[in-house]
Amino acid sequence: MPRILAVGTAVPEYELNQHEARQFAYNCFHDSFSDIERYLPIFDHAAIQTRRFSRPRTWFEQEHGFAERNRIYTEVACHLGEEAIRRCLQAVELSATDVDHLIVVSTSGLATPSLDARLMNQLEFQRHIKRTPIWGLGCAGGAVGLSRAYEYARAFPDSMVVLLAVELCSLTFRRRDHSKSNLVATSLFADGAAAVLVAGDQVSLPHSAKRYPRVVDAMSTTWPDSLDVMGWDVVDDGLKVVFSRDIPAIVQREVRPAVEAFLERSGLSLGRLQRIIAHPGGAKVLAAYEEALELRPQSMHHSRTVLNQYGNMSSATVLFVLERELQESHQAGTVGLLTALGPGFSSELMLLEWD
């Protein structure tokens, strides 16, 4: 089975703490909400301390058109993407010339030529490298992209695949959108990039005492009649966030049956899981995971830490959690579940094992 060798991450330079974000939201939304003070506690309850953005706070206090925001998206996404990929490959002393397939996942901007094509001019990739850009997966994108990397490496066991997930959610902010969904998004979303290296069975692993997890299985689930749960509406001045308050309830109701069916394919039960690598969509979503799966205390420690320090970076976030998991030591036989939810409404599950 293919193995995950390394993760590299990158974030932009501008940091904003949650108190500043709350004040920004008050200034932006108070004219539209007569009871704005009733909504602002969402910033306090988000379990977020700091987030990173592609532009300083003062930039967001002015109106910017979609074309300008998208130009910045392309520029910063390529910068962070290059940084994340270099860190990922350097961790196992490899270079871009060793990569056979580049998969790039992003939903927070548009680029043609795609981001992967642009990165070809920034990194030393082979001229004939396979490239797969994937758009529209939202918060599930990191896990879905990792599944596609696993499937490619399984089909071509002598190959190495890099998955890059890069999201600049802050640049989708529209000052004239005074909806509750946009207010909630302002309390939660942030920018970041993460790259993962996946190697097929026939690739020689780096000489190291470290255990590299193998990918045992992956499964996608899309629930019917759920298109309005999460996503974007494309409007004249950009991407309008769609964010249902029902997401935690959906997690509590739907996730456990999906996870149990997935584990059953490998002859496992929930009690066999020792590591949970979950996309931290928000504090309420993590609490819903814990309740639905009856998780042990501290099972979501890495997810909560990433949420606290970086916020929700959409598709890249679960890979930040994976990076922290890989930094730990694991006994042979340790089993982990990587999971993320996204537009569709959909779930992506991946089973990992350290041997």
Side-chain angles (χ1 to χ4, degrees):
M1 293 293 176
R3 294 181 185 270
I4 297 173
L5 301 189
V7 180
T9 58
V11 292
E13 62 180 299
Y14 302 105
E15 183 176 285
L16 191 71
N17 65 49
Q18 196 70 338
H19 175 74
E20 292 177 281
R22 175 179 170 141
Q23 186 59 49
F24 170 85
Y26 174 82
N27 294 339
C28 183
F29 290 91
H30 77 275
D31 286 339
S32 300
F33 291 87
S34 59
D35 53 351
I36 185 66
E37 294 293 346
R38 186 164 72 89
Y39 293 100
L40 290 179
I42 61 174
F43 287 82
D44 306 322
H45 301 153
I48 296 171
Q49 182 175 352
T50 57
R51 286 178 282 163
R52 297 295 189 96
F53 297 112
S54 300
R55 286 295 184 266
R57 173 184 170 179
T58 53
W59 186 87
F60 294 97
E61 293 171 351
Q62 305 297 321
E63 185 68 34
H64 300 278
F66 182 42
E68 179 187 357
R69 285 181 277 127
N70 199 71
R71 176 184 57 77
I72 296 170
Y73 160 82
T74 304
E75 172 190 317
V76 178
C78 288
H79 171 72
L80 294 181
E82 177 184 355
E83 188 175 347
I85 291 172
R86 288 195 186 279
R87 288 176 176 172
C88 176
L89 295 173
Q90 288 170 358
V92 286
E93 298 181 350
L94 295 174
S95 69
T97 57
D98 299 306
V99 178
D100 302 291
H101 192 163
L102 174 62
I103 300 172
V104 177
V105 171
S106 189
T107 305
S108 46
L110 305 172
T112 304
S114 53
L115 297 179
D116 46 287
R118 296 167 190 268
L119 288 165
M120 288 285 292
N121 293 285
Q122 298 176 215
L123 290 149
E124 305 78 22
F125 288 116
Q126 306 171 39
R127 187 174 183 180
H128 302 293
I129 190 174
K130 302 292 185 182
R131 297 188 291 110
T132 303
I134 306 178
W135 196 90
L137 295 172
C139 292
V144 176
L146 193 56
S147 293
R148 300 295 85 81
Y150 149 68
E151 291 162 355
Y152 186 90
R154 186 175 181 181
F156 300 94
D158 60 344
S159 65
M160 287 201 286
V161 185
V162 164
L163 160 69
L164 171 68
V166 54
E167 303 287 5
L168 308 180
C169 302
S170 71
L171 295 177
T172 68
F173 177 73
R174 298 163 51 253
R175 285 187 59 83
R176 287 180 287 182
D177 178 6
H178 290 172
S179 65
K180 292 179 183 177
S181 290
N182 197 30
L183 178 61
V184 172
T186 305
S187 74
L188 189 62
F189 288 108
D191 302 349
V196 184
L197 178 63
V198 178
D201 281 346
Q202 296 178 18
V203 173
S204 297
L205 298 179
H207 297 291
S208 170
K210 179 179 179 180
R211 288 191 171 95
Y212 299 104
R214 61 189 181 95
V215 182
V216 179
D217 196 8
M219 185 179 84
S220 303
T221 302
T222 301
W223 291 283
D225 303 318
S226 60
L227 296 177
D228 59 347
V229 173
M230 179 190 298
W232 306 115
D233 285 334
V234 180
V235 295
D236 288 343
D237 61 341
L239 301 173
K240 175 181 173 62
V241 65
V242 176
F243 201 67
S244 171
R245 63 185 299 176
D246 296 330
I247 294 172
I250 295 173
V251 173
Q252 290 180 333
R253 183 178 69 247
E254 302 287 358
V255 164
R256 182 172 183 138
V259 171
E260 288 179 331
F262 175 57
L263 295 177
E264 187 177 348
R265 301 195 323 192
S266 299
L268 299 174
S269 64
L270 280 172
R272 183 68 175 83
L273 293 177
Q274 295 151 286
R275 305 293 176 123
I276 304 294
I277 305 158
H279 166 67
K284 290 184 178 180
V285 173
L286 292 180
Y289 265 116
E290 290 175 331
E291 181 176 342
L293 301 180
E294 299 180 25
L295 298 177
R296 295 182 292 270
Q298 297 299 308
S299 293
M300 312 286 277
H301 170 68
H302 290 316
S303 294
R304 292 188 185 282
T305 299
V306 168
L307 181 64
N308 179 264
Q309 296 180 359
Y310 298 101
N312 183 340
M313 299 168 286
S314 191
S315 68
T317 324
V318 71
L319 306 181
F320 276 66
V321 181
L322 177 62
E323 177 185 43
R324 289 171 180 265
E325 185 65 50
L326 295 185
Q327 291 169 352
E328 293 198 6
S329 59
H330 301 80
Q331 294 183 348
T334 298
V335 175
L337 178 72
L338 187 145
T339 175
L341 299 167
F345 184 61
S346 62
S347 158
E348 191 73 19
L349 301 170
M350 176 172 281
L351 187 63
L352 306 178
E353 183 175 3
W354 285 260
D355 55 18

